């Protein structure tokens, strides 16, 4: 019988009036198990290649949710604006207002979060423009990609040059009528699709099979664990059993030994002629955890989210900082640039609203991970400054971005700022906490008049690892001249101190990097090279920079606590508390230096071993090691440790004053993480830990225990006194 005859026979048999179901014709199918079910009765959801199913995956699959939400959260938080040919923002442009306003139901952040999620899950996004009565665009509304149909332009002129004639928006939710928006009222962004010029290609489609496999793995593991993580078994009776005996044994086994609660419980049968045969698992059958890790890594790779950002990488200073830098440079910035180019093209060609030279651009100037590493230029500037080159000239030629400073036009800055020269009126000499007066040393507490922050920077730059009370009073007074609010002035001092510490740690790192490899490294055996490097991993310059940063920050924390409590009429022995705070700082600096040195050693040793095995030139190893000694790592350490040391200094002050309660304070902006957001304004005892107040979910997310700020790397939170009870 030929193939066609066989098909016809099957068709006639299945369409016969006697056949009520396919199993009437094919009874062998009655006992078949659906391909998407597991033996444990747990179903794995099918995943089709369409937006609705990928949206379902986003809803229930943790790693897709994490990757997409991380991209969406970061992209939606930056501002879009219209700029001119020189990159300067055009004030009051109606497109800036349109792109930054969203609509009456959602803010701009939610709109762009919707846009990013749609691009990741469908490869395209639709934004419908709503005009006012005068035809001016006033709102943007997102449309589901799978509910928008594209009508190609089939006119003779455009037949060989694909263009859109119109769109059809299918009703969704409470909509009752199909919409036919004009092409100039619909922004259609899409990723390149080699097989379809009209629709985009979703990144998630590349990991569809991995997602399905992972869902099967979860299904299988659920059934496996539900069974007490042990295989099934068979009861064998040599003499044979009647149906009644078989049912009785089965009921007894299920009642006495079934379920995960009885896992490992010995099975004892009453009949001596009955035997138990256990079905063992092959080692390969329980490697589903490794398979899940592979699926997770594929999802992260396709979406371009580093391990540390996803939450399962090594969350150390250098790893997190480098991951953040890679995430912005290789994933977020290209996506943002793609969006800006699509919007610019639309409002230049499809709906002209931009003048020649104008374009739509996202403001990325505030993204620290995208800023250029100027450590090399700083090192060069230091050398030239020591030779007498004027600072202002170095700043302009090397692009340091600091700006002119007093005396910077002269060699060695000989006309630089003299702190005593800023005295205007008769100096005020209030008593200090120890009963002395502020009439000695570099700093004095006087009435000051200043015109810019260069005086504050100069004052802080004169610190030598110690912020005395009179030094703090002068710096605070200088800052308050520009920023009247106490909290804002303190935050500005924090920022300048972090910049100073970042520069110092960067210089120490660069010095360590330049001296860590010998010139003849290519001629040495691996063990000789490793021994040479190990002798240079302990850097006094790095230790000194870290110690100076921690000591200055802990001093500032004590001074801030003294000001906070002094405003409420509460005092403490400043000198005694400062000594205790510095004792903590000394212990912490030792631990910090060991942690930083351990991370450096691990990174260097791994890269040296890899370089030695690959036989690459020495310049390749030098470039690879440079990442561990860059400004980004120094900045992460400086910002985090400044927060930590200042908080501990303030805590010592609260305890010294007999304060029994303290509060957590965040920087109230869109970048506050869920952990710090839950702790904001929370009041606890000075002997308790804020970590213990978190929900179990956020404790797991934190990944580390903490008593006071910081809650995580680069945390910007502060301590505040809760002046309720004083012992």
């Amino acid at each position: 019988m030929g193939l066609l005859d066989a098909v016809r026979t099957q068709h006639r048999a299945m369409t016969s009036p006697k056949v009520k179901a396919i199993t009437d014709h094919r009874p062998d199918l009655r006992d078949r198990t659906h391909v998407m079910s597991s033996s444990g009765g747990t179903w794995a959801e099918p995943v089709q290649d369409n937006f609705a199913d990928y949206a379902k995956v986003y809803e229930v699959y943790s790693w897709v949710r994490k990757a997409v939400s991380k991209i969406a959260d970061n992209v939606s938080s930056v501002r879009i604006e219209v700029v001119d040919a020189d990159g300067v923002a055009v004030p009051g442009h109606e497109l800036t207002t349109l792109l930054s306003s969203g609509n009456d139901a959602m803010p701009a952040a939610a709109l762009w979060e919707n846009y990013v999620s749609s691009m990741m899950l469908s490869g395209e996004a639709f934004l419908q423009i709503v005009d006012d009565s005068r035809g001016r665009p006033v709102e943007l509304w997102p449309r589901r990609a799978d509910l928008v149909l594209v009508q190609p332009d089939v006119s003779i002129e455009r037949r060989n040059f694909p263009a859109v004639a119109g769109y059809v928006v299918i009703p969704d939710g409470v909509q009752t009528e199909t919409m036919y928006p004009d092409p100039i009222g619909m922004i259609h962004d899409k990723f390149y699709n080699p097989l379809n010029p009209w629709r985009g290609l979703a990144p998630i489609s590349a990991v569809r099979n991995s997602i399905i496999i992972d869902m099967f793995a979860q299904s299988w593991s659920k059934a496996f664990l539900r069974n007490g993580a042990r295989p099934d078994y068979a009861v064998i009776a040599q003499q044979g059993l009647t149906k009644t005996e078989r049912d009785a044994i089965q009921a007894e086994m299920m009642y006495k030994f079934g379920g995960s609660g009885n896992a490992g419980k010995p099975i004892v049968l009453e009949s001596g002629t009955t035997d138990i045969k256990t079905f063992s698992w092959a080692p390969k059958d329980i490697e589903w955890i490794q398979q899940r890790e592979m699926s997770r890594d594929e999802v992260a790779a396709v979406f371009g989210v580093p391990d540390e950002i996803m939450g399962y990488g090594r969350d150390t200073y250098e790893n997190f900082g480098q991951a953040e830098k890679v995430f912005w440079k290789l994933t977020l910035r290209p996506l943002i640039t793609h969006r800006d180019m699509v919007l610019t093209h639309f409002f230049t060609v499809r709906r002209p609203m931009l003048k020649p030279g104008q374009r739509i651009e996202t403001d990325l100037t505030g993204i620290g991970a995208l800023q250029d590493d100027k450590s090399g230029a700083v090192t060069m500037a230091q050398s030239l400054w020591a030779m007498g080159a004027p600072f202002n000239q170095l700043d302009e030629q090397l692009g340091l971005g600091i700006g002119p400073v007093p005396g910077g036009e002269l060699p060695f800055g000989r006309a630089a700022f003299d702190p005593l020269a800023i005295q205007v009126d008769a100096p005020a000499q209030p008593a200090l906490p120890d009963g002395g007066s502020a009439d000695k040393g570099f700093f004095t507490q006087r009435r000051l008049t200043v015109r810019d922050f260069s005086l504050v920077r100069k004052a802080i730059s004169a610190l030598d690892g110690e912020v005395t009370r009179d030094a703090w009073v002068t710096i605070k007074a200088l800052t308050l001249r520009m920023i009247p609010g106490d909290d804002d002035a303190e935050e500005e001092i924090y920022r300048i101190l972090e910049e100073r510490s970042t520069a110092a740690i960067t210089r120490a790192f660069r010095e360590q990097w330049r001296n860590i490899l010998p010139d003849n490294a290519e001629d040495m055996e691996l063990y000789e090279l490793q021994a040479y490097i190990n002798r240079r991993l302990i850097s006094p310059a790095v230790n000194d920079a870290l110690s100076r940063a921690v000591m200055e920050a802990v001093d500032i924390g004590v001074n801030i606590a003294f000001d906070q409590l002094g405003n409420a009429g509460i005092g403490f022995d400043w000198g005694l508390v400062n000594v205790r705070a510095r004792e903590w700082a000394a212990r912490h600096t030792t631990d910090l230096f060991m942690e930083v040195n351990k991370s450096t050693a691990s990174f260097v040793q791994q890269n040296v071993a890899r370089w030695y095995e690959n036989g690459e030139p020495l310049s390749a190893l030098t470039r690879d090691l440079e990442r561990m000694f860059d400004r980004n790592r120094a900045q992460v350490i400086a910002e985090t440790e400044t927060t930590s040391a200042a908080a501990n200094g303030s805590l010592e002050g609260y305890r010294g004053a007999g304060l029994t309660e303290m509060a957590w304070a965040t920087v109230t902006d869109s970048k506050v993480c869920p952990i710090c957001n839950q702790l904001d304004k929370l009041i606890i005892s000075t002997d308790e830990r804020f970590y213990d107040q978190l929900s179990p979910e956020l404790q797991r997310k934190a990944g580390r225990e903490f008593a006071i700020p910081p809650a995580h790397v680069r945390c910007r939170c502060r301590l505040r006194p809760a002046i309720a009870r004083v012992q």
Side-chain angles (χ1 to χ4, degrees), residues 380-398 400 405 407-414:
M380 182 181 296
Q382 288 177 322
S383 300
L384 295 175
W385 167 260
M387 297 169 62
F391 177 83
N392 290 348
Q393 182 179 353
L394 293 174
D395 178 62
E396 180 180 356
Q397 296 296 323
L398 298 178
L400 300 180
V405 299
E409 69 279 358
L410 300 174
F412 305 109
R414 297 191 183 281

Side-chain angles (χ1 to χ4, degrees), residues 4 113 138 155 200 202 220 361 420 433 456 518 537 585 588 608 680 720:
L4 185 58
E113 183 179 2
V138 291
S155 62
W220 187 93
E361 185 176 275
L420 298 180
V456 180
L537 285 174
H588 181 71
V608 168
D680 188 29
R720 293 288 183 266

